[in-house]
Amino acid sequence: MARTKKTETKNTINEVINKIKPEMKVIEWNGISITVKSFLNVAELTKLSYSATDICFTSDETYLPEVYDFAIAITTINVYTDLVVPESVEDQYKLITQTDLLDKIIECIDIKQYEKIIKAIEEKIDYRIETNINLMRKQAKEIFESANSLYTQIKDVFADINPEEFKGMISAFANGGVDETKILKAYMDNQPKE
């Protein structure tokens, strides 16, 4: 009996879900017909979130807060509409900053979902910045540890050398007073005899 009730509920829910279709609005803007989705599916909202976040970072992971608004705007237009935006970033920037296109699009979309997507983008940017900072800290620590290890090795190598002899050797290298032939001969003389 319970199984039948659960199956009936599932069928009813599926019917409700199947009736849900995002509203598509066609707006006229400067003589252009643009189709705008009112609501994004999971793949589309993920695309908007990732695309906007990626625009805010350079290839070396430098965060560019000055392009944040641009990134949100251009990805909003790209994901919510069927409009083909110009390829030039300058032209895209003009389209966003010097026209009312974005405002017209936002009037057509589900604002609650849009605000959640913007919040997700902000969190994604914060997470990426924090991750980059932690990576830099880790790399700096590794560099410090390597330098410290190298210092210890050098210190151990030169521990038995008389400081005056060491100064003389450095001075000879600096002044070009090193005779490679004598160094090679001394090396060969000190090799074990077979």
Side-chain angles (χ1 to χ4, degrees):
M1 187 74 147
R3 182 176 283 262
T4 305
K5 209 169 205 170
K6 192 169 187 173
T7 303
E8 287 173 10
T9 303
K10 184 178 176 186
N11 289 340
T12 305
I13 288 176
N14 285 341
E15 289 171 16
V16 171
I17 291 171
N18 290 334
K19 288 179 186 175
I20 299 172
K21 302 282 186 224
E23 188 179 339
M24 304 292 270
K25 295 181 181 177
V26 177
I27 60 171
E28 292 296 323
W29 179 79
N30 289 327
I32 304 169
S33 293
I34 303 170
T35 304
V36 182
K37 298 171 193 161
S38 62
F39 200 84
L40 299 181
N41 62 34
V42 175
E44 292 165 335
L45 72 87
T46 301
K47 177 182 176 184
L48 194 154
S49 175
Y50 273 95
S51 296
T53 302
D54 285 344
I55 291 170
C56 292
F57 289 86
T58 63
S59 60
D60 69 349
E61 288 299 305
T62 301
Y63 174 54
L64 304 171
E66 63 273 18
V67 300
Y68 172 80
D69 289 335
F70 168 78
I72 298 289
I74 199 64
T75 53
T76 296
I77 293 169
N78 282 331
V79 177
Y80 275 97
T81 76
D82 64 348
L83 182 68
V84 178
V85 297
E87 287 187 30
S88 160
V89 173
E90 273 306 314
D91 289 343
Q92 291 174 8
Y93 187 73
K94 285 178 189 174
L95 182 68
I96 291 162
T97 59
Q98 298 176 19
T99 72
D100 63 346
L101 176 60
L102 186 62
D103 295 331
K104 297 290 184 193
I105 292 167
I106 290 175
E107 288 173 7
C108 300
I109 64 178
D110 182 295
I111 202 65
K112 287 182 183 177
Q113 183 193 40
Y114 189 63
E115 288 172 350
K116 288 177 184 175
I117 294 169
I118 301 301
K119 186 175 184 301
I121 292 168
E122 291 169 355
E123 289 177 12
K124 189 180 292 294
I125 288 171
D126 290 344
Y127 174 78
R128 197 156 159 182
I129 290 169
E130 187 64 31
T131 301
N132 291 341
I133 289 170
N134 289 336
L135 180 61
M136 285 189 291
R137 284 180 182 150
K138 182 181 178 204
Q139 289 171 342
K141 182 180 176 191
E142 289 171 357
I143 290 169
F144 174 77
E145 288 171 354
S146 294
N148 198 24
S149 173
L150 182 61
Y151 170 75
T152 302
Q153 290 172 4
I154 290 171
K155 189 174 90 174
D156 291 346
V157 166
F158 291 109
D160 296 332
I161 295 179
N162 177 324
E164 290 304 315
E165 289 175 357
F166 185 70
K167 274 184 178 176
M169 184 176 71
I170 295 296
S171 179
F173 277 115
N175 296 326
V178 177
D179 185 343
E180 293 88 359
T181 309
K182 288 182 181 177
I183 292 174
L184 185 57
K185 182 176 180 344
Y187 173 76
M188 296 304 286
D189 290 346
N190 289 306
Q191 289 300 306
K193 307 286 185 218
E194 292 186 25

